Amino acid sequence: GAVVSQHPSWVICKSGTSVKIECRSLDFQATTMFWYRQFPKQSLMLMATSNEGSKATYEQGVEKDKFLINHASLTLSTLTVTSAHPEDSSFYICSALGGETQYFGPGTRLLVL
Amino acid sequence: AQSVTQPDIHITVSEGASLELRCNYSYGATPYLFWYVQSPGQGLQLLLKYFSGDTLVQGIKGFEAEFKRSQSSFNLRKPSVHWSDAAEYFCAVYSGNTPLVFGKGTRLSVIA
């Protein structure tokens, strides 16, 4: 139980395009999901907290107009990287809160050319 | 504010040897405590968690951790390490009101 999926697992896009990443809780409902970014050999950096049916809460320094988050259902949250640039290339990981435990997705590797 | 310290950035152990990864936290009350493992290019997998009760918790893959309130520690242990245990290990705390707070991670290398 408590499985979280992400799609796609990796994506390559051209600079200036937008990329959508999906995060799904497969066998439980999650009113709260989280989006993280991870740079090589570093810990996870929280980008935003996504709450079903309400606006996401962004961490300081994260541009909400660039990283659009939508949590339209209890099992799905999406992160859209708008007008992506090479510096947005990273590993993006989502998690879903089940009770007091966060369950993580497998991550999405984004490469912007 | 909550914080998590993993003092060891990188640890190397021989296969079959015992392992202890250290974790210290700073929080006014007893938080929820977690250990996660991350293999290269993968997401985080939950190894074990402590909420209350017995201070020695068992997890998956033969791992265990002991909560010591007096030392504000939640060290992860395994009696005999396997080569497949090589990965990055993250300790984390959660208070219920704020997002999960991670330590910076400890990279485990296993040698033959």
Side-chain angles (χ1 to χ4, degrees):
Chain A
V3 178
V4 176
S5 70
Q6 275 184 248
H7 178 80
S9 56
W10 60 270
V11 56
I12 302 173
C13 69
K14 293 181 179 180
S15 184
T17 61
S18 294
V19 175
K20 180 186 284 188
I21 303 171
E22 293 185 348
C23 177
R24 293 182 186 271
S25 56
L26 298 184
D27 49 4
F28 66 104
Q29 293 183 329
T31 56
T32 303
M33 292 184 174
F34 302 90
W35 286 97
Y36 294 84
R37 185 173 178 175
Q38 187 178 33
F39 295 100
K41 299 187 185 302
Q42 293 191 23
S43 187
L44 281 71
M45 181 190 78
L46 179 65
M47 299 174 66
T49 302
S50 168
N51 294 298
E52 188 267 338
S54 64
K55 291 184 179 180
T57 303
Y58 290 82
E59 296 299 300
Q60 191 172 10
V62 178
E63 298 176 60
K64 62 180 180 181
D65 295 329
K66 179 167 186 64
F67 298 100
L68 300 179
I69 291 172
N70 184 277
H71 194 157
S73 78
L74 290 172
T75 59
L76 173 65
S77 176
T78 60
L79 168 69
T80 301
V81 183
T82 62
S83 186
H85 288 94
E87 58 265 29
D88 298 324
S89 299
S90 192
F91 192 54
Y92 293 88
I93 306 177
C94 74
S95 70
L97 188 62
E100 287 79 28
T101 302
Q102 280 187 235
Y103 299 95
F104 286 82
T108 296
R109 186 160 302 283
L110 171 62
L111 177 61
V112 185
L113 302 177
Chain B
Q2 300 170 73
S3 67
V4 179
T5 303
Q6 292 181 246
D8 305 303
I9 297 174
H10 183 205
I11 284 182
T12 300
V13 299
S14 298
E15 191 170 16
S18 63
L19 170 71
E20 182 169 32
L21 302 182
R22 296 182 290 166
C23 172
N24 293 94
Y25 67 91
S26 172
Y27 183 60
T30 301
Y32 302 127
L33 297 160
F34 304 84
W35 274 99
Y36 290 89
V37 61
Q38 184 181 31
S39 296
Q42 303 293 316
L44 275 67
Q45 181 181 23
L46 178 66
L47 283 176
L48 47 76
K49 59 187 177 183
Y50 173 78
F51 289 175
S52 65
D54 192 347
T55 56
L56 183 64
V57 292
Q58 302 297 321
I60 61 171
K61 304 185 179 187
F63 286 92
E64 67 178 25
E66 185 171 13
F67 168 62
K68 293 186 177 180
R69 184 190 304 275
S70 61
Q71 299 177 19
S72 296
S73 69
F74 189 56
N75 294 348
L76 181 71
R77 300 194 295 249
K78 186 169 184 178
S80 178
V81 169
H82 188 261
W83 63 267
S84 60
D85 294 324
E88 189 85 19
Y89 291 80
F90 293 98
C91 180
V93 300
Y94 175 64
S95 70
N97 295 322
T98 59
L100 204 59
V101 176
F102 285 94
K104 294 193 174 186
T106 298
R107 183 162 61 94
L108 173 66
S109 296
V110 181
I111 58 176

